[in-house]
Amino acid sequence: MAPIKIYGLTISGNVIPIEFLCKNNGIEMEIVNTDLMAGAHKTPEFLKMNPMHCIPTMDDEGFTLWESKAIMRYICNKHGLEAWYPKDVQKRALCDLALDFHANTFVKLAGYKILYPAVGFAGPVTDEEKAAAEKQWTEDVWPAFEHILKRSGGPFLGGEQPNIADLAFIGYTGPLFNKCGDCVLCKTEGFKAYFEALKAKLGHYSEIMAPAEGFYK
Ligand SMILES: N[C@@H](CCC(=O)N[C@@H](CS)C(=O)NCC(=O)O)C(=O)O
């Protein structure tokens, strides 16, 4: 079986989760460096695989996909990784909830309002926007995160073992704690405890996060 090709960058919060999934399950993968600044994602060859020109994009022996969470589900389904993407209907539903919550709520707050402005991927936020983001975290997003953790039993979204939703979060929380340690998210004790537990639990953490830690510092 040829290694799964992931077109992307090792510092991308959406590539990192796939790397964790493969490396923690002995699945051979290769990250094909895709320089967004040089337009490597806009070439005719790339657009044939992914007309949305985003990374990560997967090529598994000619079968192509984009969207990091769809790629993780595909890898779990193909390799029978039930511990990472449970078959039990309700456990899977909670995992899907956490994945959608990550994409639709968490990234919009932690990425667009905090991390990206801090590294220049997005313009600066005004004081009002910052205050609104902090309020949203405190009043809605963190309580919702705690709600999912409580239902899984913790310490992970997957319960005693991390699942692919936890991997989706580590892609953003790693860089966030590195770069924005004084933000409201990182100062939330329960969120910090979740992150530290996940960091300690996942294999290959230092190896996978080294490029991101160098970049988001
Ligand atoms: N929802 C997508 C988000 C992917 C994404 O935003 N990728 C960014 C870099 S991290 C990208 O490729 N941007 C370039 C573009 O969209 O043209 C996923 O989870 O894979």
Side-chain angles (χ1 to χ4, degrees), residues 9 11-15 18 36 41-42 46 50 52-57 66-71 102-103 107 112 116 121 172 216:
L9 293 165
I11 60 162
S12 161
N14 300 309
V15 171
I18 301 170
L36 301 181
H41 58 317
K42 298 271 178 79
F46 195 95
N50 174 0
M52 286 305 296
H53 48 77
C54 55
I55 58 161
T57 293
W66 70 92
E67 288 293 346
S68 58
K69 293 160 180 67
I71 294 171
H102 177 269
V107 170
Y112 289 87
Y116 297 168
F121 289 166
Y172 279 78
Y216 300 98

Short mmCIF file of all heavy atoms in Angstrom, two decimals, residues 9 11-15 18 36 41-42 46 50 52-57 66-71 102-103 107 112 116 121 172 216, ligand 1:
data_model
loop_
_atom_site.label_atom_id
_atom_site.label_comp_id
_atom_site.label_asym_id
_atom_site.label_seq_id
_atom_site.Cartn_x
_atom_site.Cartn_y
_atom_site.Cartn_z
N LEU A 9 0.75 21.82 4.60
CA LEU A 9 1.89 22.41 5.30
C LEU A 9 1.88 21.87 6.73
O LEU A 9 0.81 21.75 7.34
CB LEU A 9 1.77 23.94 5.34
CG LEU A 9 1.88 24.66 3.99
CD1 LEU A 9 1.37 26.10 4.10
CD2 LEU A 9 3.32 24.65 3.49
N ILE A 11 2.58 23.22 9.38
CA ILE A 11 2.16 24.17 10.42
C ILE A 11 0.65 24.40 10.39
O ILE A 11 0.12 25.15 11.20
CB ILE A 11 2.86 25.54 10.26
CG1 ILE A 11 2.54 26.15 8.90
CG2 ILE A 11 4.36 25.40 10.49
CD1 ILE A 11 2.81 27.65 8.82
N SER A 12 -0.05 23.76 9.46
CA SER A 12 -1.48 24.02 9.32
C SER A 12 -2.29 23.27 10.37
O SER A 12 -2.18 22.05 10.53
CB SER A 12 -1.95 23.58 7.92
OG SER A 12 -3.35 23.42 7.91
N GLY A 13 -3.15 24.01 11.06
CA GLY A 13 -4.02 23.43 12.09
C GLY A 13 -4.97 22.38 11.55
O GLY A 13 -5.52 21.59 12.31
N ASN A 14 -5.15 22.35 10.23
CA ASN A 14 -6.04 21.36 9.63
C ASN A 14 -5.28 20.15 9.10
O ASN A 14 -5.88 19.10 8.84
CB ASN A 14 -6.87 22.00 8.52
CG ASN A 14 -7.71 23.15 9.04
OD1 ASN A 14 -8.43 22.98 10.02
ND2 ASN A 14 -7.59 24.31 8.43
N VAL A 15 -3.97 20.29 8.94
CA VAL A 15 -3.12 19.17 8.50
C VAL A 15 -2.65 18.36 9.71
O VAL A 15 -2.62 17.13 9.70
CB VAL A 15 -1.90 19.70 7.70
CG1 VAL A 15 -0.89 18.60 7.41
CG2 VAL A 15 -2.37 20.34 6.39
N ILE A 18 -4.53 15.21 10.93
CA ILE A 18 -4.39 14.03 10.07
C ILE A 18 -3.04 13.35 10.34
O ILE A 18 -2.94 12.12 10.38
CB ILE A 18 -4.52 14.43 8.58
CG1 ILE A 18 -5.89 15.08 8.35
CG2 ILE A 18 -4.33 13.22 7.67
CD1 ILE A 18 -6.03 15.73 6.99
N LEU A 36 1.41 27.73 -0.28
CA LEU A 36 0.26 28.57 -0.64
C LEU A 36 0.72 29.94 -1.16
O LEU A 36 0.11 30.49 -2.07
CB LEU A 36 -0.66 28.77 0.58
CG LEU A 36 -1.25 27.51 1.23
CD1 LEU A 36 -2.15 27.88 2.39
CD2 LEU A 36 -2.02 26.67 0.22
N HIS A 41 -1.42 25.68 -4.69
CA HIS A 41 -2.79 25.13 -4.55
C HIS A 41 -3.72 25.62 -5.66
O HIS A 41 -4.91 25.32 -5.66
CB HIS A 41 -3.36 25.51 -3.18
CG HIS A 41 -3.41 26.99 -2.93
ND1 HIS A 41 -2.38 27.86 -3.26
CD2 HIS A 41 -4.39 27.78 -2.39
CE1 HIS A 41 -2.70 29.10 -2.92
NE2 HIS A 41 -3.91 29.07 -2.40
N LYS A 42 -3.16 26.40 -6.59
CA LYS A 42 -4.00 26.95 -7.67
C LYS A 42 -3.58 26.42 -9.03
O LYS A 42 -4.02 26.92 -10.05
CB LYS A 42 -3.91 28.49 -7.65
CG LYS A 42 -4.42 29.16 -6.36
CD LYS A 42 -5.89 29.47 -6.45
CE LYS A 42 -6.46 30.08 -5.18
NZ LYS A 42 -6.20 31.50 -4.99
N PHE A 46 -3.55 20.67 -9.19
CA PHE A 46 -4.12 20.70 -7.84
C PHE A 46 -5.64 20.88 -7.91
O PHE A 46 -6.40 20.20 -7.21
CB PHE A 46 -3.48 21.83 -7.00
CG PHE A 46 -3.76 21.69 -5.52
CD1 PHE A 46 -2.86 21.07 -4.68
CD2 PHE A 46 -4.95 22.16 -4.97
CE1 PHE A 46 -3.12 20.91 -3.32
CE2 PHE A 46 -5.23 22.02 -3.62
CZ PHE A 46 -4.31 21.40 -2.80
N ASN A 50 -8.86 19.18 -6.11
CA ASN A 50 -9.64 19.96 -5.16
C ASN A 50 -9.95 21.33 -5.74
O ASN A 50 -9.14 22.26 -5.62
CB ASN A 50 -8.84 20.09 -3.84
CG ASN A 50 -9.54 21.03 -2.86
OD1 ASN A 50 -10.60 21.57 -3.13
ND2 ASN A 50 -8.92 21.20 -1.71
N MET A 52 -11.68 23.52 -4.61
CA MET A 52 -11.75 24.54 -3.56
C MET A 52 -10.36 25.02 -3.14
O MET A 52 -10.22 25.82 -2.22
CB MET A 52 -12.50 24.00 -2.33
CG MET A 52 -14.01 23.90 -2.52
SD MET A 52 -14.80 25.45 -3.02
CE MET A 52 -14.48 26.50 -1.61
N HIS A 53 -9.32 24.48 -3.78
CA HIS A 53 -7.92 24.90 -3.60
C HIS A 53 -7.51 25.15 -2.16
O HIS A 53 -6.88 26.16 -1.84
CB HIS A 53 -7.61 26.14 -4.46
CG HIS A 53 -8.63 27.25 -4.35
ND1 HIS A 53 -8.68 28.10 -3.28
CD2 HIS A 53 -9.64 27.61 -5.18
CE1 HIS A 53 -9.69 28.95 -3.45
NE2 HIS A 53 -10.28 28.67 -4.60
N CYS A 54 -7.88 24.22 -1.28
CA CYS A 54 -7.43 24.40 0.11
C CYS A 54 -6.63 23.17 0.55
O CYS A 54 -6.70 22.10 -0.07
CB CYS A 54 -8.62 24.62 1.04
SG CYS A 54 -9.86 23.34 0.94
N ILE A 55 -5.85 23.40 1.61
CA ILE A 55 -5.13 22.29 2.23
C ILE A 55 -5.77 22.01 3.58
O ILE A 55 -6.32 22.94 4.19
CB ILE A 55 -3.62 22.62 2.39
CG1 ILE A 55 -3.43 23.89 3.24
CG2 ILE A 55 -2.95 22.76 1.04
CD1 ILE A 55 -2.09 24.07 3.84
N PRO A 56 -5.77 20.77 4.04
CA PRO A 56 -5.20 19.58 3.42
C PRO A 56 -6.06 19.04 2.28
O PRO A 56 -7.29 19.16 2.30
CB PRO A 56 -5.19 18.57 4.58
CG PRO A 56 -6.34 18.98 5.45
CD PRO A 56 -6.38 20.48 5.37
N THR A 57 -5.36 18.44 1.31
CA THR A 57 -6.02 17.67 0.25
C THR A 57 -5.35 16.30 0.24
O THR A 57 -4.12 16.21 0.32
CB THR A 57 -5.85 18.38 -1.11
OG1 THR A 57 -6.60 19.60 -1.06
CG2 THR A 57 -6.38 17.53 -2.26
N TRP A 66 -10.91 16.54 -0.02
CA TRP A 66 -10.46 17.66 0.79
C TRP A 66 -11.36 17.74 2.01
O TRP A 66 -12.20 16.90 2.20
CB TRP A 66 -10.40 18.97 0.00
CG TRP A 66 -11.70 19.58 -0.41
CD1 TRP A 66 -12.41 20.52 0.28
CD2 TRP A 66 -12.43 19.32 -1.61
NE1 TRP A 66 -13.54 20.86 -0.42
CE2 TRP A 66 -13.57 20.14 -1.58
CE3 TRP A 66 -12.24 18.47 -2.70
CZ2 TRP A 66 -14.53 20.15 -2.62
CZ3 TRP A 66 -13.19 18.48 -3.72
CH2 TRP A 66 -14.30 19.30 -3.68
N GLU A 67 -11.18 18.72 2.85
CA GLU A 67 -11.84 18.90 4.16
C GLU A 67 -11.21 17.93 5.17
O GLU A 67 -11.40 16.71 5.11
CB GLU A 67 -13.37 18.70 4.11
CG GLU A 67 -14.13 19.81 3.43
CD GLU A 67 -14.08 21.15 4.18
OE1 GLU A 67 -13.68 21.19 5.34
OE2 GLU A 67 -14.42 22.17 3.54
N SER A 68 -10.48 18.51 6.12
CA SER A 68 -9.71 17.70 7.07
C SER A 68 -10.55 16.67 7.82
O SER A 68 -10.11 15.55 8.06
CB SER A 68 -9.00 18.61 8.08
OG SER A 68 -9.93 19.43 8.77
N LYS A 69 -11.78 17.06 8.15
CA LYS A 69 -12.59 16.14 8.96
C LYS A 69 -13.12 14.98 8.11
O LYS A 69 -13.24 13.85 8.59
CB LYS A 69 -13.71 16.92 9.65
CG LYS A 69 -13.13 17.88 10.70
CD LYS A 69 -14.08 18.97 11.06
CE LYS A 69 -13.51 19.92 12.08
NZ LYS A 69 -12.36 20.73 11.61
N ALA A 70 -13.43 15.27 6.84
CA ALA A 70 -13.84 14.19 5.92
C ALA A 70 -12.67 13.24 5.70
O ALA A 70 -12.84 12.01 5.62
CB ALA A 70 -14.32 14.78 4.60
N ILE A 71 -11.46 13.80 5.61
CA ILE A 71 -10.27 12.96 5.41
C ILE A 71 -10.06 12.06 6.63
O ILE A 71 -9.79 10.86 6.50
CB ILE A 71 -9.02 13.86 5.14
CG1 ILE A 71 -9.20 14.61 3.80
CG2 ILE A 71 -7.74 13.03 5.13
CD1 ILE A 71 -8.15 15.69 3.52
N HIS A 102 -16.29 22.31 16.32
CA HIS A 102 -14.95 22.82 16.07
C HIS A 102 -14.94 23.69 14.81
O HIS A 102 -14.46 24.82 14.82
CB HIS A 102 -13.96 21.64 15.92
CG HIS A 102 -12.56 22.07 15.60
ND1 HIS A 102 -12.10 22.21 14.30
CD2 HIS A 102 -11.53 22.44 16.39
CE1 HIS A 102 -10.84 22.63 14.33
NE2 HIS A 102 -10.47 22.78 15.58
N ALA A 103 -15.50 23.13 13.71
CA ALA A 103 -15.44 23.84 12.42
C ALA A 103 -16.30 25.10 12.43
O ALA A 103 -15.86 26.16 11.95
CB ALA A 103 -15.91 22.91 11.30
N VAL A 107 -13.30 27.39 15.51
CA VAL A 107 -12.31 27.98 14.59
C VAL A 107 -12.65 29.45 14.32
O VAL A 107 -11.75 30.30 14.23
CB VAL A 107 -12.22 27.16 13.28
CG1 VAL A 107 -11.39 27.90 12.23
CG2 VAL A 107 -11.62 25.79 13.56
N TYR A 112 -10.09 32.85 13.81
CA TYR A 112 -10.29 34.15 13.14
C TYR A 112 -10.17 35.35 14.07
O TYR A 112 -9.78 36.43 13.63
CB TYR A 112 -11.63 34.16 12.40
CG TYR A 112 -11.59 33.27 11.17
CD1 TYR A 112 -11.88 31.92 11.26
CD2 TYR A 112 -11.20 33.78 9.94
CE1 TYR A 112 -11.80 31.08 10.14
CE2 TYR A 112 -11.12 32.96 8.82
CZ TYR A 112 -11.42 31.62 8.92
OH TYR A 112 -11.33 30.81 7.82
N TYR A 116 -5.24 33.92 14.26
CA TYR A 116 -4.86 34.46 12.95
C TYR A 116 -4.44 35.93 13.02
O TYR A 116 -3.42 36.30 12.42
CB TYR A 116 -5.98 34.27 11.92
CG TYR A 116 -6.33 32.82 11.61
CD1 TYR A 116 -7.48 32.50 10.89
CD2 TYR A 116 -5.52 31.76 12.03
CE1 TYR A 116 -7.81 31.18 10.60
CE2 TYR A 116 -5.84 30.44 11.75
CZ TYR A 116 -6.99 30.16 11.03
OH TYR A 116 -7.32 28.87 10.76
N PHE A 121 -2.34 36.28 9.74
CA PHE A 121 -3.15 35.60 8.72
C PHE A 121 -4.48 36.33 8.53
O PHE A 121 -5.21 36.11 7.58
CB PHE A 121 -3.47 34.15 9.12
CG PHE A 121 -2.29 33.22 9.05
CD1 PHE A 121 -2.35 31.96 9.64
CD2 PHE A 121 -1.13 33.56 8.37
CE1 PHE A 121 -1.27 31.08 9.58
CE2 PHE A 121 -0.04 32.70 8.30
CZ PHE A 121 -0.11 31.45 8.91
N TYR A 172 -5.44 23.36 16.59
CA TYR A 172 -5.55 24.79 16.88
C TYR A 172 -5.07 25.13 18.29
O TYR A 172 -4.51 26.19 18.51
CB TYR A 172 -7.01 25.26 16.71
CG TYR A 172 -7.34 25.51 15.27
CD1 TYR A 172 -7.61 24.45 14.40
CD2 TYR A 172 -7.36 26.80 14.75
CE1 TYR A 172 -7.88 24.68 13.06
CE2 TYR A 172 -7.64 27.03 13.41
CZ TYR A 172 -7.90 25.97 12.57
OH TYR A 172 -8.16 26.20 11.25
N TYR A 216 4.54 29.40 15.37
CA TYR A 216 3.61 30.18 16.22
C TYR A 216 4.27 30.44 17.58
O TYR A 216 3.84 29.90 18.59
CB TYR A 216 2.31 29.41 16.45
CG TYR A 216 1.53 29.06 15.21
CD1 TYR A 216 1.63 27.79 14.64
CD2 TYR A 216 0.67 29.98 14.62
CE1 TYR A 216 0.90 27.46 13.50
CE2 TYR A 216 -0.06 29.65 13.49
CZ TYR A 216 0.06 28.39 12.93
OH TYR A 216 -0.66 28.06 11.82
N1 LIG B 1 -12.50 23.39 6.38
C1 LIG B 1 -11.21 23.16 5.79
C2 LIG B 1 -10.35 24.39 6.01
C3 LIG B 1 -9.07 24.33 5.20
C4 LIG B 1 -8.36 25.66 5.17
O1 LIG B 1 -8.90 26.70 5.63
N2 LIG B 1 -7.17 25.66 4.58
C5 LIG B 1 -6.42 26.88 4.38
C6 LIG B 1 -5.04 26.81 5.04
S1 LIG B 1 -5.07 26.19 6.69
C7 LIG B 1 -6.18 27.04 2.88
O2 LIG B 1 -5.89 26.09 2.19
N3 LIG B 1 -6.30 28.26 2.37
C8 LIG B 1 -6.03 28.55 0.99
C9 LIG B 1 -7.28 28.60 0.13
O3 LIG B 1 -8.38 28.30 0.64
O4 LIG B 1 -7.16 28.97 -1.04
C10 LIG B 1 -10.56 21.90 6.42
O5 LIG B 1 -10.90 21.57 7.57
O6 LIG B 1 -9.77 21.24 5.74
#
